[in-house]
Short mmCIF file of all heavy atoms in Angstrom, two decimals:
data_model
loop_
_atom_site.label_atom_id
_atom_site.label_comp_id
_atom_site.label_asym_id
_atom_site.label_seq_id
_atom_site.Cartn_x
_atom_site.Cartn_y
_atom_site.Cartn_z
N PRO A 142 70.78 -119.29 61.23
CA PRO A 142 69.51 -120.01 61.08
C PRO A 142 69.68 -121.08 60.12
O PRO A 142 68.67 -121.87 59.92
CB PRO A 142 68.51 -118.90 60.59
CG PRO A 142 69.34 -118.02 59.81
CD PRO A 142 70.69 -117.89 60.51
N LEU A 143 70.91 -121.29 59.44
CA LEU A 143 71.17 -122.46 58.62
C LEU A 143 72.52 -123.03 58.99
O LEU A 143 73.48 -123.01 58.32
CB LEU A 143 71.25 -122.02 57.18
CG LEU A 143 69.93 -121.39 56.58
CD1 LEU A 143 70.14 -120.83 55.19
CD2 LEU A 143 68.91 -122.41 56.54
N ALA A 144 72.54 -123.60 60.30
CA ALA A 144 73.81 -123.69 60.99
C ALA A 144 74.80 -124.80 60.47
O ALA A 144 76.01 -124.78 60.63
CB ALA A 144 73.55 -124.02 62.50
N GLY A 145 74.10 -125.82 59.79
CA GLY A 145 74.97 -126.95 59.24
C GLY A 145 75.69 -127.52 60.43
O GLY A 145 75.16 -127.95 61.39
N VAL A 163 70.15 -122.72 64.06
CA VAL A 163 69.00 -123.55 63.68
C VAL A 163 69.41 -124.48 62.58
O VAL A 163 70.05 -124.04 61.60
CB VAL A 163 67.76 -122.68 63.28
CG1 VAL A 163 66.56 -123.66 62.96
CG2 VAL A 163 67.41 -121.74 64.33
N GLU A 164 69.13 -125.73 62.64
CA GLU A 164 69.48 -126.68 61.61
C GLU A 164 68.48 -127.79 61.60
O GLU A 164 68.00 -128.39 62.55
CB GLU A 164 70.90 -127.34 61.97
CG GLU A 164 71.28 -128.39 60.98
CD GLU A 164 71.26 -127.96 59.57
OE1 GLU A 164 71.71 -126.82 59.28
OE2 GLU A 164 70.70 -128.74 58.72
N ILE A 165 68.03 -128.04 60.28
CA ILE A 165 66.86 -129.00 60.12
C ILE A 165 67.33 -130.41 59.99
O ILE A 165 66.59 -131.28 60.26
CB ILE A 165 66.07 -128.68 58.83
CG1 ILE A 165 64.80 -129.37 58.82
CG2 ILE A 165 67.03 -128.99 57.56
CD1 ILE A 165 63.83 -128.84 57.69
N ASP A 166 68.64 -130.61 59.71
CA ASP A 166 69.26 -131.99 59.63
C ASP A 166 69.75 -132.51 60.94
O ASP A 166 70.73 -131.98 61.51
CB ASP A 166 70.41 -131.95 58.59
CG ASP A 166 70.87 -133.34 58.24
OD1 ASP A 166 70.83 -134.25 59.09
OD2 ASP A 166 71.32 -133.49 57.17
N GLY A 167 69.02 -133.51 61.55
CA GLY A 167 69.42 -133.96 62.86
C GLY A 167 70.79 -134.50 62.92
O GLY A 167 71.54 -134.49 63.91
N LYS A 168 71.29 -135.20 61.74
CA LYS A 168 72.65 -135.69 61.81
C LYS A 168 73.71 -134.55 61.91
O LYS A 168 74.68 -134.80 62.55
CB LYS A 168 72.88 -136.46 60.50
CG LYS A 168 72.05 -137.73 60.36
CD LYS A 168 72.24 -138.52 59.06
CE LYS A 168 71.44 -139.89 59.14
NZ LYS A 168 71.65 -140.59 57.81
N ASP A 169 73.44 -133.50 61.31
CA ASP A 169 74.40 -132.33 61.36
C ASP A 169 74.36 -131.81 62.87
O ASP A 169 75.51 -131.50 63.36
CB ASP A 169 73.98 -131.17 60.45
CG ASP A 169 74.52 -131.48 59.12
OD1 ASP A 169 75.22 -132.41 58.78
OD2 ASP A 169 74.09 -130.74 58.07
N VAL A 170 73.27 -131.78 63.55
CA VAL A 170 73.27 -131.28 64.92
C VAL A 170 74.09 -132.24 65.76
O VAL A 170 74.77 -131.89 66.58
CB VAL A 170 71.80 -131.17 65.37
CG1 VAL A 170 71.69 -130.82 66.86
CG2 VAL A 170 71.04 -130.02 64.61
N LEU A 228 69.08 -125.30 67.68
CA LEU A 228 67.75 -125.92 67.58
C LEU A 228 67.72 -126.90 66.33
O LEU A 228 68.19 -126.57 65.31
CB LEU A 228 66.70 -125.00 67.39
CG LEU A 228 66.00 -124.27 68.59
CD1 LEU A 228 65.00 -123.28 68.11
CD2 LEU A 228 65.50 -125.23 69.55
N HIS A 229 67.32 -128.15 66.61
CA HIS A 229 67.09 -129.13 65.50
C HIS A 229 65.57 -128.87 65.11
O HIS A 229 64.65 -129.44 65.65
CB HIS A 229 67.35 -130.53 65.95
CG HIS A 229 66.92 -131.56 64.93
ND1 HIS A 229 66.46 -132.83 65.27
CD2 HIS A 229 66.74 -131.54 63.63
CE1 HIS A 229 66.19 -133.54 64.26
NE2 HIS A 229 66.30 -132.68 63.02
N ALA A 230 65.46 -127.99 64.10
CA ALA A 230 64.08 -127.52 63.80
C ALA A 230 64.17 -126.92 62.38
O ALA A 230 65.23 -126.68 61.75
CB ALA A 230 63.57 -126.49 64.81
N ASP A 231 63.03 -126.70 61.75
CA ASP A 231 62.90 -126.03 60.50
C ASP A 231 62.97 -124.54 60.71
O ASP A 231 62.28 -123.88 61.45
CB ASP A 231 61.44 -126.29 59.96
CG ASP A 231 61.18 -125.88 58.48
OD1 ASP A 231 61.93 -124.99 58.00
OD2 ASP A 231 60.28 -126.41 57.75
N THR A 232 63.91 -123.92 60.06
CA THR A 232 64.13 -122.57 60.22
C THR A 232 63.12 -121.56 59.82
O THR A 232 62.98 -120.48 60.08
CB THR A 232 65.42 -122.12 59.41
OG1 THR A 232 65.90 -120.86 59.90
CG2 THR A 232 65.20 -122.10 58.02
N THR A 233 62.05 -122.16 58.97
CA THR A 233 60.84 -121.28 58.66
C THR A 233 59.76 -121.39 59.58
O THR A 233 58.71 -120.83 59.35
CB THR A 233 60.44 -121.81 57.16
OG1 THR A 233 59.90 -123.09 57.27
CG2 THR A 233 61.58 -121.77 56.11
N GLY A 258 70.90 -128.27 50.17
CA GLY A 258 69.58 -128.06 49.49
C GLY A 258 68.65 -127.52 50.59
O GLY A 258 68.93 -127.74 51.73
N SER A 259 67.56 -126.91 50.12
CA SER A 259 66.69 -126.40 51.13
C SER A 259 65.34 -127.15 50.95
O SER A 259 65.02 -127.72 49.82
CB SER A 259 66.43 -124.92 50.88
OG SER A 259 65.86 -124.59 49.64
N TYR A 260 64.52 -127.22 52.00
CA TYR A 260 63.32 -128.02 51.96
C TYR A 260 62.09 -127.33 51.61
O TYR A 260 61.90 -126.14 52.10
CB TYR A 260 63.16 -128.71 53.39
CG TYR A 260 64.17 -129.87 53.67
CD1 TYR A 260 65.37 -129.43 54.24
CD2 TYR A 260 63.95 -131.12 53.24
CE1 TYR A 260 66.34 -130.39 54.54
CE2 TYR A 260 64.92 -132.06 53.54
CZ TYR A 260 66.07 -131.72 54.19
OH TYR A 260 67.14 -132.74 54.40
#
Side-chain angles (χ1 to χ4, degrees):
L143 301 170
V163 181
E164 175 52 48
I165 197 170
D166 190 330
K168 292 182 179 179
D169 280 350
V170 175
L228 277 181
H229 171 208
D231 186 338
T232 194
T233 67
S259 59
Y260 291 89

